[in-house]
């Protein structure tokens, strides 16, 4: 159902945010959707290049915001090319965490949205395949939504379409929209910055396991029919 409401999608060019962008285009209409992309010293510029290519391909206006200042105040393997990305390994969070990232992103997205008369902010965070990131939890997003409303005296609606989906269900959503191959081919999710995915890093493993699970379930469902 198309509406005249506008939406701003926090967009990295990865599987999750691209799924959210495609869903927003379906629900709001392409001319009511814009994307905001944050540069914060990601290890590899390829992620930003992919996001730019996808936004252009889909005909969505994209704004880039430099948030690399975050590197001056917190350390993360995701922004440090010399660090090895590890998954948990006894620590409460993976060392790829960028502390406070989604709070910063949502604050800046809120400023940009209000400036442009947009109330709906869409972010592809998910607590089901929980990596241990506290700022991906639903409780944080709801709290931040209230904070933004109070900070700017504006009725923001922070929407998280993937919050309770598994990775396999996110692939299913893409497939329902007829976009599975688009996302499989064009999105970039690898922590190591390998085009097409390294297949080894936690991000690649989560993505590939989710896809394998979904495709297996889909083929079994078609057999059962
Ligand atoms: Zn990888």
């Amino acid at each position: 159902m198309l509406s005249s409401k506008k939406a701003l999608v926090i967009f990295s060019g990865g599987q999750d945010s691209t799924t959210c962008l495609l869903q927003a285009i379906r629900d709001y209409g392409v001319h009511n959707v814009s994307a905001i992309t944050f540069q914060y010293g990601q290890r590899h510029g390829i992620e930003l290049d992919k996001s730019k290519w996808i936004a252009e391909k889909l005909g969505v206006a994209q704004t880039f915001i430099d948030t690399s200042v975050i590197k001056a105040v917190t350390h993360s393997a995701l922004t440090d090319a010399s660090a090895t990305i590890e998954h948990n390994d006894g620590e409460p969070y993976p060392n790829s965490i960028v502390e406070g990232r989604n709070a910063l992103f949502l604050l800046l997205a809120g400023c940009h949205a209000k400036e442009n008369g947009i109330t709906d902010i869409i972010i592809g965070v998910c607590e089901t395949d929980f990596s241990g990131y506290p700022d991906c939890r639903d409780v944080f997003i709801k709290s931040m939504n209230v904070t933004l409303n109070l900070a700017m005296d504006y009725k923001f609606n922070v929407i998280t379409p993937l919050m309770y989906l598994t990775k396999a269900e996110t692939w299913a959503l893409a497939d329902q929209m007829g976009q599975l191959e688009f996302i499989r081919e064009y999105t970039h999710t690898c922590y190591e910055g390998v085009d097409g995915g390294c297949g080894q890093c936690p991000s690649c493993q989560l993505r590939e396991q989710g896809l394998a699970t979904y495709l297996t379930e889909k083929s079994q469902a078609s057999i059962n029919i």
Side-chain angles (χ1 to χ4, degrees):
M1 186 178 66
L2 296 179
S3 74
S4 57
K5 283 190 93 173
K6 293 181 185 173
L8 177 67
V9 179
I10 296 179
F11 179 57
S12 71
Q15 177 193 354
D16 291 347
S17 65
T18 303
T19 302
C20 289
L21 187 63
L22 288 162
Q23 189 187 46
I25 290 169
R26 182 195 69 184
D27 292 347
Y28 293 80
V30 67
H31 299 298
N32 292 318
V33 175
S34 54
I36 188 166
T37 300
F38 296 104
Q39 299 166 274
Y40 57 99
Q42 285 102 330
R43 286 156 70 103
H44 304 280
I46 189 171
E47 190 176 334
L48 291 171
D49 292 344
K50 293 258 180 179
S51 79
K52 190 163 183 279
W53 187 91
I54 292 168
E56 284 177 5
K57 174 109 178 150
L58 297 175
V60 170
Q62 183 181 28
T63 302
F64 286 93
I65 306 289
D66 184 354
T67 54
S68 55
V69 65
I70 203 162
K71 283 193 296 183
V73 291
T74 182
H75 178 266
S76 163
L78 210 56
T79 56
D80 178 357
S82 66
T84 304
I85 290 174
E86 291 157 356
H87 208 49
N88 285 336
D89 201 24
E91 298 294 324
Y93 313 127
N95 68 350
S96 54
I97 188 170
V98 181
E99 298 283 6
R101 174 172 56 178
N102 287 337
L104 180 65
F105 286 2
L106 283 165
L107 176 61
L108 293 169
C111 295
H112 180 77
K114 186 179 179 188
E115 187 73 21
N116 290 280
I118 300 167
T119 55
D120 292 5
I121 299 171
I122 299 171
I123 181 168
V125 292
C126 169
E127 71 170 48
T128 306
D129 285 320
F130 188 43
S131 305
Y133 296 164
D135 60 353
C136 290
R137 292 175 297 172
D138 190 53
V139 66
F140 162 71
I141 297 293
K142 285 191 165 63
S143 148
M144 191 69 193
N145 198 153
V146 172
T147 296
L148 289 174
N149 293 4
L150 291 170
M152 295 181 222
D153 193 20
Y154 193 70
K155 287 188 177 168
F156 291 105
N157 185 20
V158 181
I159 300 166
T160 54
L162 310 183
M163 183 57 78
Y164 295 109
L165 301 189
T166 63
K167 216 51 161 179
E169 288 168 337
T170 301
W171 282 112
L173 175 60
D175 202 15
Q176 284 159 20
M177 296 190 292
Q179 301 286 4
L180 187 137
E181 288 306 322
F182 183 93
I183 288 173
R184 194 173 180 179
E185 188 165 351
Y186 299 126
T187 65
H188 176 76
T189 319
C190 179
Y191 282 156
E192 300 296 339
V194 176
D195 198 1
C198 73
Q200 303 296 319
C201 74
S203 178
C204 279
Q205 287 184 3
L206 191 62
R207 174 186 169 114
E208 293 310 315
Q209 284 167 8
L211 181 59
T213 301
Y214 171 63
L215 293 176
T216 301
E217 287 170 357
K218 187 182 177 186
S219 65
Q220 287 172 347
S222 62
I223 290 167
N224 291 339
I225 292 167

